[in-house]
Amino acid sequence: MTTSARHPRPPRPPLAQVLDPKVDEARIRSVWRGVEPALIESERGAGRGRRSARGVALGASLALIALVALALTRGPSVEPVGFLALADGGAPAAFAAEAGDEVMTFADQSRIELSAGAEIVPTLNDVREFALTLTRGSIRVAVTPGGPRRWRLDCGLATVEVVGTEFRIDRGDDGVRVRVERGHVRVTAEDGRSWDLLAGDQVWVEPPVVAVEAAEPAAEAPPPPAPLVAEPPVAEVVAIAPRAVRVEARPSAVAPPPRWTDLAESGAYDRAYEALRDARGTGGEIARADPRELMLLADVARLSGHPAEAVEPLERLISSHASAPETRLAAVVLGRIEQDALHAP
């Protein structure tokens, strides 16, 4: 006689991890409206016999319990399947904040705050991606992390790709500024340059400079022939000596070029890198830079497309200023550069 070994069941998770107790009154009323007709029908059938009425009432009660349990386990999400909806269930459409600041709230609790004068136009909204265009103005975006969709914002001169973060975009005639408050975004310019921005980073994308070639001057036409007129009588010519006029040249006030630190703090990392290269280069600034400037040198190098040049100021900051508040952030940024940009973890 053989006996089969019984395999123990895996432990079930606690109900607190399965059920969501945060059910609002509106959902409870909705569930009740689905069960109430069955209870009314049970009251009508009371004259058909005590047993039949009890069976209907019992069935209605079980249905109520099942529907409430289903509502509890499904969670509070009201987002329609297939696209990202607004908090009221409607589909996002083109919107402009003409009178003042406006806020768009989505079903997944993501938010877009539009400053007065800003305008956004959704261009794609499906299960994988939500894309929109910022045609003008400034917006602040807070994307709920962990969602199924990738957010993409077209700002004309650059495109911002997001997974879960909080950032601000300012679009003007002279460029686009992206500032990250939380999370991680990737900014890609029209010419193919890209920047990975972390919390506290910002980048300023300017329009490309278009070279205009001067047209060759047209050949001058010969002067028309002088008309045939009678010559006037010769008059007496009196020579007048010109007076000497003294002209003093006044020196014009020329503003000094902006320092690389000012350019970097405003997000113009490409111009800051050029200013460093025209002076003494990144290496010449490292020896006399304080912890804040060392971190700024690394930001200029990596955000202008020269990640290898960011390693030296970060290593100098870690080795020479261990107690500075910037040191821990420098270690994290150095690890990301070696892992993602230099492929040398």
Side-chain angles (χ1 to χ4, degrees), residues 127-163:
V127 294
R128 293 185 178 87
E129 184 172 352
F130 178 59
L132 56 87
T133 298
L134 173 63
T135 59
R136 55 185 167 91
S138 302
I139 60 174
R140 183 174 178 270
V141 183
V143 180
T144 301
R149 294 174 184 82
R150 179 173 65 101
W151 283 51
R152 179 168 52 84
L153 294 92
D154 184 0
C155 312
L157 295 175
T159 301
V160 182
E161 297 182 10
V162 186
V163 175

Side-chain angles (χ1 to χ4, degrees), residues 268-284:
Y269 296 108
D270 289 338
R271 294 173 58 191
Y273 183 82
E274 293 296 330
L276 280 170
R277 189 176 64 177
D278 293 341
R280 64 180 73 186
T282 305

Side-chain angles (χ1 to χ4, degrees), residues 4 8 14 24-25 29 57 75 109 118 147 152 157 165 174 179 191 201 206 224 273 322 332 344:
S4 59
D24 55 17
E25 292 297 325
R29 287 196 297 271
Q109 303 304 314
R152 179 168 52 84
L157 295 175
T165 186
D174 55 347
R179 290 180 286 181
D191 56 7
D201 290 342
E206 297 178 329
Y273 183 82
V332 174

Side-chain angles (χ1 to χ4, degrees), residues 195-332:
W195 302 269
D196 283 309
L197 304 183
L198 305 175
D201 290 342
Q202 63 177 337
V203 65
W204 172 258
V205 183
E206 297 178 329
V209 178
V210 180
V212 179
E213 296 183 359
E216 295 182 0
E220 296 182 358
L228 298 176
V229 296
E231 294 183 359
V234 178
E236 182 180 1
V237 178
V238 179
I240 301 176
R243 292 183 300 172
V245 179
R246 182 179 181 184
V247 179
E248 295 182 356
R250 296 181 181 179
S252 58
V254 179
R259 298 184 68 246
W260 70 269
T261 52
D262 298 333
L263 294 171
E265 289 175 348
S266 67
Y269 296 108
D270 289 338
R271 294 173 58 191
Y273 183 82
E274 293 296 330
L276 280 170
R277 189 176 64 177
D278 293 341
R280 64 180 73 186
T282 305
E285 294 287 336
I286 292 177
R288 60 187 185 89
D290 58 23
R292 185 188 68 87
E293 292 176 337
L294 287 171
M295 196 69 201
L296 208 56
L297 283 169
D299 288 342
V300 169
R302 68 185 181 90
L303 296 175
S304 63
H306 307 84
E309 297 183 30
V311 173
E312 185 178 356
L314 291 173
E315 290 180 342
R316 177 63 175 267
L317 174 56
I318 294 171
S319 62
S320 301
H321 304 279
S323 60
E326 295 88 356
T327 302
R328 282 182 289 182
L329 178 60
V332 174

Side-chain angles (χ1 to χ4, degrees), residues 2-8:
T2 59
T3 59
S4 59
R6 294 174 60 87
H7 297 282

Side-chain angles (χ1 to χ4, degrees), residues 110-128:
S110 298
R111 290 163 54 91
I112 299 179
E113 300 175 5
L114 295 87
S115 300
E119 181 182 35
I120 58 176
V121 179
T123 56
L124 178 62
N125 191 353
D126 58 21
V127 294
R128 293 185 178 87

